[in-house]
Amino acid sequence: MTVKPQKFIQVTDCHLFASPDGKLLGMETQSSLDAVLQRVQSEHPDFDFFLGTGDLSQDGSVDSYIRLKDQLDAFGKEQFWLPGNHDHRDNMLKVVSEQKEMVSVVKKGAWQIVLMDSQVPGSVHGRFSDSELQKLETALQAEPDLHTLVTFHHHPIPMDCKWLDNQQIKNSDAFLELVSRYDNVRVLLWGHIHQDSNVMKDGVRYISTPSTCVQFTPKSTDFSVDSVGPGYRWMELYDDGSIQTGVSRVDDIEFEIDYTIKGY
């Protein structure tokens, strides 16, 4: 009998505002999220949960988190969140709970998902605290027979994108050394860079996901906005430790972008 894989939808870098008509780099981020979620509904009517990997809000407002939670709740699926550099953790916790949506470890079938916080309050770059690294090691030691996906906001490896690579996780060497000591880690998954990437390194998949709003140009030296559409990632986790995954973008709507703005 074929065992049905665990399937999730990753949405990341929504950059919502308190006001639904708030704009990032000229794009109405609520409108772009609406379009992305409509595509999720039409393309993947059957999945198990959402994973929201940071910068869910641009202004960290309670109203933006309420709106996002309500939209995801409408699918009738579980949702799990972690913060990015633009998020306000305390405001997130006025809307969701550390016992439910912002848990540290989610166990699904033959897999565990470890949600890590790479946020450095007041900074754009990422870093894992000692307690976050210990949380990961504890989870890996506790469940050696579970395949593990580790997810967080910032990128742990250079992306050949000079301005973004200045924002990489600052202690990624310590993090990756920890990962290398456990043979049950299968996937590292993040957002932040508003780009799609998927590489295999030493038996581990390193994956980043496009934003549900504005995209950044790959391999750019200076801040640069790409012209490709907003998107999301779907992923299936199989009992043998393998995965299937893909990115879908909204390509049938023309979104307004202000390419003259050189930062966000």
Side-chain angles (χ1 to χ4, degrees):
M1 184 179 71
T2 303
V3 178
K4 179 178 176 289
Q6 296 290 324
K7 182 177 183 179
F8 68 84
I9 301 296
Q10 181 193 8
V11 291
T12 194
D13 297 270
C14 307
H15 293 277
L16 299 179
F17 294 81
S19 170
D21 59 4
K23 293 182 179 181
L24 179 72
L25 303 172
M27 182 183 287
E28 285 194 3
T29 58
Q30 183 62 59
S31 294
S32 62
L33 176 62
D34 292 347
V36 167
L37 292 179
Q38 286 171 10
R39 181 151 293 216
V40 170
Q41 193 167 44
S42 64
E43 294 176 338
H44 297 279
D46 183 27
F47 64 95
D48 297 290
F49 59 95
F50 280 106
L51 199 56
T53 52
D55 282 0
L56 304 177
S57 176
Q58 172 70 9
D59 59 10
S61 61
V62 171
D63 284 348
S64 64
Y65 295 126
I66 290 173
R67 213 163 57 249
L68 176 62
K69 184 173 186 301
D70 287 348
Q71 278 194 280
L72 300 188
D73 277 346
F75 284 79
K77 309 293 185 181
E78 290 182 292
Q79 53 184 288
F80 303 103
W81 296 12
L82 56 85
N85 47 289
H86 285 281
D87 287 308
H88 190 291
R89 187 182 182 90
D90 288 346
N91 282 348
M92 294 173 85
L93 291 173
K94 292 176 182 177
V95 178
V96 296
S97 163
E98 287 181 321
Q99 286 71 51
K100 191 176 179 184
E101 295 89 357
M102 287 183 71
V103 293
S104 296
V105 180
V106 176
K107 295 179 183 179
K108 296 286 185 183
W111 285 76
Q112 66 175 345
I113 299 169
V114 182
L115 294 92
M116 298 184 68
D117 183 352
S118 62
Q119 184 191 68
V120 180
S123 298
V124 178
H125 68 260
R127 176 181 290 274
F128 290 129
S129 67
D130 290 344
S131 62
E132 286 295 300
L133 293 174
Q134 184 58 57
K135 176 178 79 176
L136 174 60
E137 185 152 35
T138 298
L140 293 172
Q141 289 176 344
E143 299 288 0
D145 296 328
L146 289 184
H147 308 297
T148 302
L149 182 152
V150 187
T151 186
F152 37 87
H153 182 65
H154 295 82
H155 50 308
I157 56 173
M159 301 306 301
D160 194 21
C161 195
K162 187 174 180 181
W163 69 277
L164 273 174
D165 286 341
N166 291 328
Q167 303 171 17
Q168 185 181 326
I169 295 169
K170 297 302 183 184
N171 59 341
S172 58
D173 287 350
F175 166 67
L176 295 176
E177 191 278 328
L178 191 165
V179 166
S180 73
R181 286 189 270 118
Y182 294 87
D183 61 8
N184 55 332
V185 179
R186 304 282 176 257
V187 182
L188 305 181
L189 177 67
W190 65 90
H192 186 66
I193 63 171
H194 295 222
Q195 297 171 12
D196 168 29
S197 66
N198 185 345
V199 298
M200 180 77 82
K201 294 166 63 75
D202 301 320
V204 178
R205 295 280 283 274
Y206 287 65
I207 299 175
S208 67
T209 296
S211 164
T212 65
C213 60
V214 175
Q215 310 303 303
F216 297 147
T217 308
K219 303 185 185 305
S220 52
T221 299
D222 299 314
F223 179 87
S224 178
V225 176
D226 205 351
S227 59
V228 295
Y232 71 93
R233 178 176 295 282
W234 61 267
M235 189 178 295
E236 295 176 342
L237 309 175
Y238 289 82
D239 281 2
D240 64 357
S242 64
I243 70 167
Q244 292 291 328
T245 188
V247 162
S248 179
R249 295 182 186 271
V250 177
D251 53 10
D252 56 349
I253 299 175
E254 193 73 32
F255 293 98
E256 185 174 337
I257 301 174
D258 187 344
Y259 293 98
T260 66
I261 301 173
K262 298 302 178 185
Y264 77 111

